[in-house]
Amino acid sequence: DVRNQSKMNYEACDTRLKSCELLYNDINDKTVEFKNIWNEIGTIKQQLKSCASDKKTCDQQELKIKKLEKSISKQQGSLDTIKKKFRSNKC
């Protein structure tokens, strides 16, 4: 009985460890995605400085900003999901 209990405890611990590793990798992926969004925001910021004289450029930047807002919202939602899983697995 003790041996079986030890084996079950080990398997539960191993499963939780693997789950935590996967969640950690997911968070690293999200970090890269947020860095890419941050870089894109910087690019748009630079382009907005020159758009005052060209309405077409301003309209293009506005579309990019709307896409970024949607992307940020989506990323935030998935990050919140990962955080909840992290907490529930006690990682």
Side-chain angles (χ1 to χ4, degrees), residues 3-80:
R3 182 176 171 212
N4 287 339
Q5 183 63 38
S6 296
K7 185 177 179 180
M8 289 187 333
N9 288 341
Y10 171 78
E11 289 174 357
C13 181
D14 189 49
T15 301
R16 188 169 48 188
L17 177 64
K18 288 177 182 175
S19 176
C20 289
E21 288 172 350
L22 289 172
L23 290 170
Y24 177 77
N25 290 337
D26 288 346
I27 287 194
N28 283 333
D29 291 345
K30 293 298 169 196
T31 300
V32 170
E33 291 173 14
F34 276 114
K35 283 181 183 179
N36 291 338
I37 289 172
W38 179 255
N39 291 337
E40 194 169 342
I41 289 171
T43 301
I44 290 172
K45 183 179 176 182
Q46 291 298 323
Q47 292 172 347
L48 282 174
K49 291 178 182 179
S50 65
C51 95
S53 61
D54 186 11
K55 181 174 175 12
K56 184 178 177 182
T57 303
C58 287
D59 291 343
Q60 290 173 345
Q61 298 311 314
E62 186 176 342
L63 289 174
K64 286 182 183 179
I65 290 170
K66 287 180 182 180
K67 282 183 180 179
L68 274 177
E69 287 173 345
K70 288 179 183 178
S71 179
I72 290 170
S73 177
K74 180 181 172 185
Q75 297 299 330
Q76 185 64 44
S78 71
L79 185 61
D80 290 342

